[in-house]
Amino acid sequence: MKSIKEWTYSVEVRRDVVSTAAPLLRAMGERRCLVVTTPTVHNLYRELFGAMVDHGQGRMHVHVTGGREAGKTLEAAWAICRKAAEGGVERNGVLIGIGGGVCTDLTTVAASLVRRGVAIVKVPTTLIGQVDAGIGIKGGVNEGGAKNYLGCFHPPEAVFVDPAFLQTLPAEHLRYGLAEVIKIALVGCRQLFGTVVDWGPALVESGFARPADMAQEVIAHAIELMLDELRPNLFEDQNNRRAVDLGHTFSPLIEGATDFALHHGAAVATDLALSAGIAFELGYCSQAERDVIHETLSASGLPIYHSCLTPELCWRAMERATAHRRGAVNLVVPAGIGQVAFVEQAVNVPVALLAEAIAHLGRRQQRWLGPARVVAYQPLY
Amino acid sequence: MKSIKEWTYSVEVRRDVVSTAAPLLRAMGERRCLVVTTPTVHNLYRELFGAMVDHGQGRMHVHVTGGREAGKTLEAAWAICRKAAEGGVERNGVLIGIGGGVCTDLTTVAASLVRRGVAIVKVPTTLIGQVDAGIGIKGGVNEGGAKNYLGCFHPPEAVFVDPAFLQTLPAEHLRYGLAEVIKIALVGCRQLFGTVVDWGPALVESGFARPADMAQEVIAHAIELMLDELRPNLFEDQNNRRAVDLGHTFSPLIEGATDFALHHGAAVATDLALSAGIAFELGYCSQAERDVIHETLSASGLPIYHSCLTPELCWRAMERATAHRRGAVNLVVPAGIGQVAFVEQAVNVPVALLAEAIAHLGRRQQRWLGPARVVAYQPLY
């Protein structure tokens, strides 16, 4: 038995979702529809939901789900499924997820299950969602402390990214999103990294509103880089070397160790910092490159160290990643700025090296007391 | 964003699963493995499970799930997922479902969720599983009375069909399986239909052991026909005219109306009988063809009528199928023996016609008091 399946979907950065709701109303069409959102988004964007309810004429229902990582459970996805059943969503229906990564992840899992897979439209409202979680094809829920142990690959019908949502986002969350922007810049683009160094703090302060051209540039560029990385291995079955796993080997266990109290973006920042340290120790990047990564993260208000970081936790993380990546850890580390290298086996990252890299982060974090001009950056660009 | 994915899997009819366990041990290999089965199968085939446990050396765990349709819930699939997590099943692990359609459906749903999709090997132990539920790519669980409202398309890695399992199956369940064999014969092969007419009762009586060549012929032929039908539209996204939906438009609501007390196979038989009646009324098959279908079902000990059958239930079923099949009911009816026709719109099946077809079934079922020689069959073949 042999079969081939093809998927196509679009990710559109556009400014008219919040202001006119037009793209969403067109996407809904005449279909039965369940809109899934979070309490915060539901409260902040009443006009948007009002327009959708009016358009839906009884064919559309709204389900408010929690937006926190700790609530990203199969139970929560199941509740969405039940609401879809009650709302009469059948195979030709659509689920629309409007919220952060937790919300779009839950909605994706539910959409993959309802009638064995119905259409989903994603509207990420956080920076992390707009440049990372919301634009791929994965949904996930946590199980027994294991992040995204359950989930699906379920391509969306469309993704609408409206930077206007970011104006209501707390600065803290914009910083978490910057962690993913820094990640994708490290993976594929020195220029984007430079833009973040130059404009990151101003963008965070203005809710990604000013400078408008830089906000647009950072988001669109990060999305483009991400899609370029995802495209050749969308279902993660072509190979086990995913550059976008940078920052995502240690972070799941860092999140788990804090019972998901530490935000995903903060854990990714810490992982990126550690990965840069490992890269330096292994000779993949220079000391100056390691330092500029650490300083850029710190200057963006992101942590580069957490007290739960131990060589033992790192080893468990690498063991888990090895199982997940089918037999080799393929630890992604920055090879300079804008490209990565893969450390194939965990044995190449000995405990003493990890201990040194972690200790260095502890010292740096103590020294670094807040945003400041990135001194070490100048000579590199 | 565009991507293509290709799947291949094999369905092997083989006689050495029960006797040697060899194909399963090879399939397990060194992988972490969760075997999912039912209490009945677990009790009857202790040696098979013993061999797997020995081979697994701690990497393999067994989870016993319910085998009844009423227990085919997301809760039950979730329990399998939790057991997989506890057993350390990661992305390179495998789930093996050994049981009837409910068991392999639940295992498929769980396998599709664990780490966003791990390998599944299916070992259907019932006739209905061996010729239908267990050889496709679908998993499903019921939700709020809607059959398979939730589920997945998740191609197996391999399917092993061993007719030896059928020797411990109650005659009643063999009959339910015959309903699916009759279905696929009506869809695609007069010859297989003739074989069922000639040998069905003997096969049921002997636990599909004698005549051995006929047992092999019926199972292998039914599987081949089924795979031929599935292949061009494996994900049901190419078109909404699936010949194998014959017998599966009214049966979900018949099952639901009896709270799943009526077995799927019995509901399918009733649906087939009704579909033949509708086909006759609409001129798609002759009276003799309709009658031989009714008589073959009855001679196989299958019901052709249920008191819950009303035109109203049939209309609700067609409405639901219309939603499921994206806007047209495409009701499948036999066009003679060995091919089908599609009634595109529900309005082409008026209430009066349904009432007449249902009334006819009621009269036939009353007259038909048990297995007997199929008289009307002779002139047709």
Side-chain angles (χ1 to χ4, degrees):
Chain A
M1 177 65 85
K2 192 168 180 166
S3 186
I4 290 177
K5 195 164 158 60
E6 188 184 302
W7 283 271
T8 313
Y9 71 93
S10 61
V11 179
E12 300 175 32
V13 182
R14 45 193 312 156
R15 296 267 173 187
D16 58 350
V17 177
V18 170
S19 57
T20 74
L24 288 179
L25 305 188
R26 262 199 305 280
M28 290 167 71
E30 305 290 302
R31 297 185 285 186
R32 285 215 166 250
C33 171
L34 180 67
V35 177
V36 182
T37 191
T38 62
T40 312
V41 173
H42 196 232
N43 277 333
L44 286 170
Y45 297 93
R46 290 188 177 279
E47 281 185 23
L48 177 62
F49 291 98
M52 294 177 81
V53 169
D54 288 348
H55 175 90
Q57 296 188 323
R59 291 184 307 271
M60 176 271 208
H61 296 85
V62 179
H63 176 77
V64 178
T65 188
R68 286 167 195 273
E69 189 69 32
K72 210 175 81 165
T73 61
L74 193 57
E75 184 65 52
W78 193 2
I80 298 172
C81 294
R82 277 194 297 265
K83 194 67 176 277
E86 288 162 21
V89 173
E90 291 293 331
R91 196 181 257 191
N92 49 4
V94 60
L95 266 56
I96 302 182
I98 309 180
V102 170
C103 173
T104 54
D105 264 24
L106 285 170
T107 312
T108 302
V109 171
S112 83
L113 286 169
V114 169
R115 286 296 181 203
R116 298 193 175 101
V118 294
I120 173 170
V121 171
K122 296 198 276 192
V123 185
T125 58
T126 61
L127 183 56
I128 209 165
Q130 295 190 342
V131 300
D132 190 282
I135 63 174
I137 72 166
K138 298 200 281 188
V141 296
N142 307 323
E143 176 62 49
K147 195 167 159 70
N148 293 325
Y149 183 75
L150 304 177
C152 61
F153 294 96
H154 187 62
E157 182 177 277
V159 181
F160 298 119
V161 171
D162 188 341
F165 281 113
L166 304 181
Q167 284 168 50
T168 53
L169 207 64
E172 192 188 345
H173 280 260
L174 290 170
R175 288 191 198 106
Y176 298 146
L178 267 191
E180 296 286 3
V181 173
I182 291 169
K183 177 201 80 173
I184 199 72
L186 286 173
V187 163
C189 187
R190 281 176 84 93
Q191 189 206 325
L192 179 59
F193 188 80
T195 307
V196 171
V197 170
D198 291 341
W199 298 104
L203 288 170
V204 167
E205 258 174 56
S206 69
F208 258 69
R210 283 176 306 277
D213 56 337
M214 282 300 145
Q216 178 83 15
E217 154 73 11
V218 165
I219 292 170
H221 200 156
I223 290 173
E224 194 186 310
L225 286 167
M226 188 69 180
L227 295 181
D228 284 347
E229 292 295 328
L230 294 180
R231 198 171 288 114
N233 191 16
L234 195 56
F235 293 88
E236 301 181 13
D237 53 354
Q238 298 304 305
N239 62 68
N240 298 303
R241 297 186 153 212
R242 296 179 73 239
V244 292
D245 279 344
L246 178 65
H248 289 73
T249 298
F250 307 114
S251 57
L253 267 78
I254 299 174
E255 282 181 82
T258 65
D259 242 342
F260 301 105
L262 193 72
H263 193 278
H264 178 69
V268 167
T270 309
D271 182 321
L272 287 174
L274 178 59
S275 299
I278 293 170
F280 165 64
E281 301 287 346
L282 290 174
Y284 288 106
C285 71
S286 68
Q287 185 166 339
E289 286 164 335
R290 176 197 70 179
D291 291 349
V292 77
I293 293 171
H294 289 172
E295 286 153 12
T296 303
L297 290 164
S298 295
S300 305
L302 287 162
I304 59 172
Y305 173 80
H306 190 278
S307 57
C308 76
L309 264 190
T310 60
E312 196 269 332
L313 175 132
C314 294
W315 263 87
R316 273 193 292 127
M318 287 196 289
E319 270 173 18
R320 203 175 278 191
T322 302
H324 194 57
R325 294 169 196 164
R326 303 189 182 86
V329 71
N330 282 317
L331 178 69
V332 198
V333 296
I337 310 289
Q339 57 185 32
V340 294
F342 293 91
V343 183
E344 197 176 316
Q345 298 298 336
V347 289
N348 297 328
V349 192
V351 168
L353 186 153
L354 281 168
E356 173 49 35
I358 292 168
H360 178 77
L361 292 179
R363 291 193 300 271
R364 294 290 301 182
Q365 171 114 319
Q366 281 178 345
R367 277 222 305 273
W368 203 267
L369 295 169
R373 210 171 73 87
V374 181
V375 184
Y377 174 69
Q378 311 297 349
L380 274 170
Y381 290 85
Chain B
M1 175 65 85
K2 192 167 180 166
S3 185
I4 288 177
K5 193 164 161 59
E6 188 184 302
W7 284 272
T8 313
Y9 71 94
S10 61
V11 179
E12 300 176 31
V13 182
R14 45 194 314 157
R15 295 267 174 187
D16 58 351
V17 177
V18 170
S19 57
T20 74
L24 287 179
L25 306 188
R26 261 200 306 281
M28 289 167 71
E30 306 289 303
R31 296 185 284 185
R32 286 216 165 250
C33 170
L34 179 68
V35 177
V36 182
T37 190
T38 62
T40 312
V41 174
H42 196 233
N43 277 331
L44 286 169
Y45 297 93
R46 290 188 176 279
E47 282 185 22
L48 177 63
F49 291 98
M52 295 177 81
V53 169
D54 289 349
H55 176 90
Q57 296 185 325
R59 290 184 307 271
M60 176 270 210
H61 295 85
V62 178
H63 176 76
V64 178
T65 187
R68 287 165 194 276
E69 188 69 31
K72 211 175 81 165
T73 60
L74 193 56
E75 183 64 52
W78 193 1
I80 298 172
C81 295
R82 276 194 297 264
K83 194 68 176 274
E86 288 161 23
V89 173
E90 292 292 333
R91 196 182 257 191
N92 49 4
V94 59
L95 265 57
I96 303 183
I98 310 180
V102 170
C103 172
T104 54
D105 264 23
L106 284 170
T107 312
T108 302
V109 171
S112 84
L113 286 169
V114 170
R115 286 297 181 202
R116 300 197 174 98
V118 294
I120 174 170
V121 171
K122 296 198 275 191
V123 185
T125 58
T126 60
L127 183 55
I128 208 164
Q130 295 190 341
V131 301
D132 191 281
I135 64 175
I137 71 166
K138 297 200 280 188
V141 297
N142 306 323
E143 176 63 50
K147 195 167 159 70
N148 294 325
Y149 184 76
L150 304 178
C152 60
F153 293 97
H154 187 62
E157 180 176 279
V159 181
F160 298 119
V161 171
D162 189 341
F165 281 113
L166 304 182
Q167 284 168 50
T168 53
L169 207 64
E172 191 188 345
H173 280 260
L174 290 170
R175 288 192 199 105
Y176 298 146
L178 269 191
E180 295 286 4
V181 174
I182 291 169
K183 177 201 79 174
I184 200 72
L186 286 174
V187 164
C189 187
R190 282 175 83 90
Q191 189 206 325
L192 179 60
F193 188 80
T195 308
V196 171
V197 169
D198 290 343
W199 298 104
L203 288 169
V204 167
E205 259 173 53
S206 69
F208 258 68
R210 284 176 305 278
D213 56 338
M214 282 301 146
Q216 178 83 18
E217 155 72 10
V218 165
I219 292 170
H221 200 155
I223 289 173
E224 195 186 309
L225 287 167
M226 187 70 180
L227 296 181
D228 285 347
E229 292 294 329
L230 294 180
R231 197 171 287 117
N233 192 16
L234 195 56
F235 293 89
E236 301 181 12
D237 53 355
Q238 297 304 305
N239 62 68
N240 298 303
R241 297 186 153 212
R242 297 179 71 239
V244 293
D245 279 344
L246 179 65
H248 290 73
T249 297
F250 308 113
S251 56
L253 267 77
I254 299 174
E255 283 181 82
T258 66
D259 242 343
F260 300 105
L262 193 72
H263 192 278
H264 178 69
V268 167
T270 308
D271 182 321
L272 288 175
L274 178 59
S275 299
I278 293 169
F280 165 65
E281 302 285 348
L282 290 174
Y284 287 107
C285 72
S286 68
Q287 186 167 339
E289 287 164 335
R290 176 197 67 181
D291 291 349
V292 77
I293 294 171
H294 289 171
E295 285 152 12
T296 303
L297 290 164
S298 295
S300 305
L302 288 161
I304 60 172
Y305 174 80
H306 190 279
S307 57
C308 77
L309 265 189
T310 60
E312 196 269 331
L313 176 132
C314 294
W315 263 87
R316 270 192 294 128
M318 288 196 289
E319 271 173 18
R320 204 175 278 191
T322 302
H324 194 57
R325 294 168 196 162
R326 303 187 182 88
V329 71
N330 282 316
L331 177 69
V332 199
V333 296
I337 311 288
Q339 57 186 30
V340 294
F342 294 90
V343 183
E344 196 177 314
Q345 297 298 335
V347 289
N348 297 328
V349 192
V351 168
L353 186 152
L354 281 168
E356 172 50 35
I358 292 169
H360 177 77
L361 292 179
R363 292 192 300 271
R364 293 289 303 182
Q365 171 115 317
Q366 280 178 343
R367 278 221 305 272
W368 204 267
L369 294 169
R373 208 170 74 84
V374 180
V375 185
Y377 175 68
Q378 309 299 349
L380 275 169
Y381 289 86

